[in-house]
């Protein structure tokens, strides 16, 4: 088979994985090598779906021995199958890298022959890159559930990031849709990797090999199974707190297979995915807890308002907030004020007290924030009533105005609809 | 700075950072602010203007360079160098005022964001670094000879030097040329040293056989990796504005 055909088949099979980030690694180059890590990550292109392309994202093989119901590569599907050789993947990576198409490699694979055999193929590929080509660019590798710990260990010392996709957010769903995978097979290697990362950080030996320096990530499929947003968010929170995951990716389910256990969706639930990313962001950088954003009486997010607005309206007694005295984390809780804006405010008010005029000069967007703040004790001009229903009506009105064709599944209220945008850039632009 | 003398003169200089710092030195020691500052390439003579050509003096520029970090802070140096690469016409005068005020006030100058030239300098710095970061990803090399790579770019700001450094760190053994077609500048790297030259009369090289293969592979990958159920051209365009497309292999069909 021609390399072009292989690439087309194996990129097509890999495209549903949301992760593409190349951030978090400071791997240095040496004088004879090629490539380095960029801590902030670099996006190289954007596909027609608006998702960033940063890594050569391919499967090593799509000839799977398993039959997970939701997956395009399941053994019972009749699709074109292909398998690379380690040398082919390494050559592609190096040649793409030299032309600056990519930041590195994201290699995943279906299970061929056995989990261990598959792992060995991945390791072989990475070994060629690191040792023969002296490649110091970014490598993200999937761990194959059910493979030996010694193999995980070996791979972990070579790559920058590792991931195991949980995919289905509960045990029941997993049993139903991925009967050959076991929860233990997924969570065990995850905690093993997480422990090793911790130990590696404690080890002060300068010459030790780094172990997964950019951390591990996972992915959850949204909308294939009945779990609520609350349940999903709690799972993510647990993964961040207990297993120290770098990222949890959410991937709106796309109907690729017909199965009685799967819903038939006409379009992927992109808005829901977007809401989860927004909430995930609030948990990781804004000090919110899953319990604050949702509870048993409100287990799912709102179509029109983003999670922070929704939270603020439900907790209106915490507002208004005085811009000139509120601390950093309180400022961050104001809808429309993000990390950058909060920092700007704190910096600027050191020299003098701020009013609305100055906030505008600082480039703070008032659209949402104006309902929740005061400057030197005064409300914003046109905000003459401070009560929940007034604010809610206005916010909803505004959001509707800003959506031209009322097509909620397509809209991008948050400019990071694409889950793949780099963390740091997100940090700079993502104001909620 | 409020009691300084204002003169109705435009200072002309050679357009280099050293030239600019020379002006900063003169202005600060004489406590006299010019009306405008303009690089000689961009200056359009005007019958009404009074002009003065300032010769670049490396002794002076070095003293200012060191002085900024010592007497203001590193951030001020970082801000002014990067803002200097901006394509905004009044960048020079704004950076000048920012630095002069900085010498009086020290590091707290960077908090005064409601001050118009401080804000200006900081936003120019941001725009320059943003574009530079963007091009670190969007630049495309083609192989024109064994191990010699060529890339053309059309950036708004003059970012060829920081961009070149990025690729030297990344691909130290690869010979490469980065060609800024707007400014007719070339960044040449031969595996050891680099220089930036004028490229007005340069022939643009043809690419190698194997090059075609990898371009096709890349295009195929690019097309395949997008999920058609999630098509979102607006989002694509927002991150990858059209103005950069002419140098992108995957966007040329
Ligand atoms: S093991 Fe992975 S590739 Fe194979 S069917 Fe399941 S999800 Fe798909």
């Amino acid at each position: 088979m021609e390399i072009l055909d292989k690439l087309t088949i194996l990129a097509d099979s890999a495209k549903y994985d949301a992760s593409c980030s190349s951030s978090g690694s400071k791997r240095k180059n040496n004088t004879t090598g090629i490539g380095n890590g960029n801590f902030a990550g670099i996006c190289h292109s954007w596909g027609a779906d608006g998702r960033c392309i940063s890594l050569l994202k391919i499967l090593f093989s799509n000839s799977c021995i398993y039959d997970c119901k939701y997956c395009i590569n399941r053994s019972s599907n009749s699709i074109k199958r292909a398998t690379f050789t380690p040398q082919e993947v390494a050559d592609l990576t190096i040649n793409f890298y030299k032309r600056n198409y990519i930041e590195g490699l994201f290699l995943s694979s279906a299970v061929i022959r056995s989990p261990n055999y598959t792992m060995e193929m991945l390791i072989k590929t990475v070994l060629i890159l690191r040792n023969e080509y002296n490649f110091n660019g970014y490598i993200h590798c999937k761990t194959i559930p059910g493979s030996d710990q010694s193999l995980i260990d070996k791979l972990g010392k070579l790559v920058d990031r590792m991931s195991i996709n949980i995919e289905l957010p509960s045990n029941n769903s997993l049993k139903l849709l991925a009967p050959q995978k076991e929860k233990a097979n997924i969570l065990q290697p995850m905690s093993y990797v997480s422990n090793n990362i911790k130990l590696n950080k404690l080890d002060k030996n300068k010459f030790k090999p780094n172990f997964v320096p950019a951390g591990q990530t996972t992915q959850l499929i949204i909308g294939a199974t009945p779990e609520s947003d609350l349940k999903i968010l709690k799972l993510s929170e647990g993964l961040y707190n207990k297993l120290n995951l770098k990222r949890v990716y959410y991937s709106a389910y796309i109907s690729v297979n017909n199965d009685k256990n799967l819903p038939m969706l006409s379009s992927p639930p992109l808005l829901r995915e977007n809401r989860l990313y927004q909430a995930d962001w609030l948990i990781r950088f804004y000090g919110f807890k899953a319990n604050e954003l949702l509870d048993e009486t409100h287990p799912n997010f709102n179509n029109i308002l983003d999670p922070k607005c929704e939270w603020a309206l439900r907790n209106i007694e915490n507002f208004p907030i005085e811009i000139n005295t509120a601390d950093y984390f309180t400022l961050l809780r104001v809808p429309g004020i993000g990390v950058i804006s909060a920092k700007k405010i704190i910096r600027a008010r050191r020299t003098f007290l701020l009013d609305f005029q100055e906030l505008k000069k600082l480039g703070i967007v008032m659209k949402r924030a104006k309902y929740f703040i005061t400057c030197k004790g005064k409300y914003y001009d046109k905000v003459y009533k401070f009560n929940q229903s007034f604010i809610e009506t206005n916010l909803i009105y505004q959001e509707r105005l800003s959506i031209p064709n009322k097509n909620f599944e397509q809209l991008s209220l948050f400019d990071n609809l694409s889950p793949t945008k780099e963390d740091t850039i997100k940090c700079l632009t993502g104001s909620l | 700075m409020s009691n300084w003398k204002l003169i109705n003169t435009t200072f002309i200089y050679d357009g280099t950072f050293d030239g600019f710092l020379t002006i900063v030195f003169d202005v600060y020691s004489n406590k006299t602010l010019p009306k405008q500052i303009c690089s000689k390439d961009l200056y359009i003579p005007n019958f009404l203007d009074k002009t003065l050509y300032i010769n670049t003096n490396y002794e002076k520029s070095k003293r200012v360079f060191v002085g900024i970090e010592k007497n203001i802070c590193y951030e001020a140096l970082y801000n002014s160098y990067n803002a200097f690469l901006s394509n905004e016409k009044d960048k020079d005068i704004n950076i000048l005022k920012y630095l002069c005020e900085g010498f009086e006030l020290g590091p707290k100058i960077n908090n005064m964001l409601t001050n118009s030239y401080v804000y200006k300098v900081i936003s120019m710095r941001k725009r320059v670094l943003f574009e530079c970061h963007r091009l670190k990803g969007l630049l495309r090399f083609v192989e024109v000879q064994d191990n010699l790579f060529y890339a053309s770019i059309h950036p708004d700001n003059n970012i060829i030097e920081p961009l070149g450094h990025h690729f030297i760190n990344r691909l130290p053994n690869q010979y490469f040329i980065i060609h800024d077609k707007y400014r007719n500048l070339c960044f040449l790297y031969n595996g050891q040293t680099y220089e930036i030259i004028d490229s007005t009369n340069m022939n643009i090289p043809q690419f190698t056989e194997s090059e075609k293969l990898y371009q096709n592979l890349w295009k195929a990958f690019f097309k395949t990796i997008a999920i058609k159920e999630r098509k979102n051209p607006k989002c694509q365009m927002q991150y990858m504005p059209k103005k950069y497309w002419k140098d992108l292999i995957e966007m040329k069909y």
Side-chain angles (χ1 to χ4, degrees), chain A residues 73-99:
Chain A
N73 302 319
R74 62 180 184 176
S75 55
S76 59
N77 275 4
S78 70
I79 54 165
K80 278 196 212 151
R81 307 279 174 177
T83 302
F84 277 124
T85 65
Q87 190 66 45
E88 282 169 343
V89 175
D91 284 348
L92 265 177
T93 310
I94 290 295
N95 276 294
F96 277 16
Y97 194 87
K98 282 184 168 177
R99 290 168 176 77

Side-chain angles (χ1 to χ4, degrees), chain B residues 204-222:
Chain B
I204 293 164
Q206 289 295 311
F207 46 79
T208 58
E209 251 331 288
S210 63
E211 177 58 29
K212 197 79 219 150
L213 168 73
Y214 285 108
Q215 290 196 5
N216 287 338
L217 286 168
W218 170 240
K219 281 190 201 167
F221 175 75
F222 178 78

Side-chain angles (χ1 to χ4, degrees), chain A residues 29 31-32 35-36 41 43-46 48-49 95 97-101 103 270 273 347 352 415 421, chain B residues 111 114 133 136-137 139-141 143 167 170 172-174 211 214 218 222 227 230 232 236 239 250:
Chain A
N29 199 1
T31 45
T32 54
N36 56 4
C43 292
H44 286 252
S45 193
W46 280 267
D49 51 4
N95 276 294
Y97 194 87
K98 282 184 168 177
R99 290 168 176 77
N100 202 40
Y101 299 163
E103 210 40 34
L270 292 177
E273 176 195 288
R347 200 164 187 187
F352 49 84
D415 59 356
K421 193 142 195 297
Chain B
N111 294 341
T114 49
H133 183 81
K136 283 178 192 170
L139 177 141
R140 297 285 174 266
F141 281 121
E143 197 173 23
F167 286 106
R170 173 157 281 201
N173 299 308
Q174 179 166 316
E211 177 58 29
Y214 285 108
W218 170 240
F222 178 78
I227 300 178
R230 302 182 58 129
N232 192 342
Q236 182 188 31
Y239 292 121
E250 63 269 32

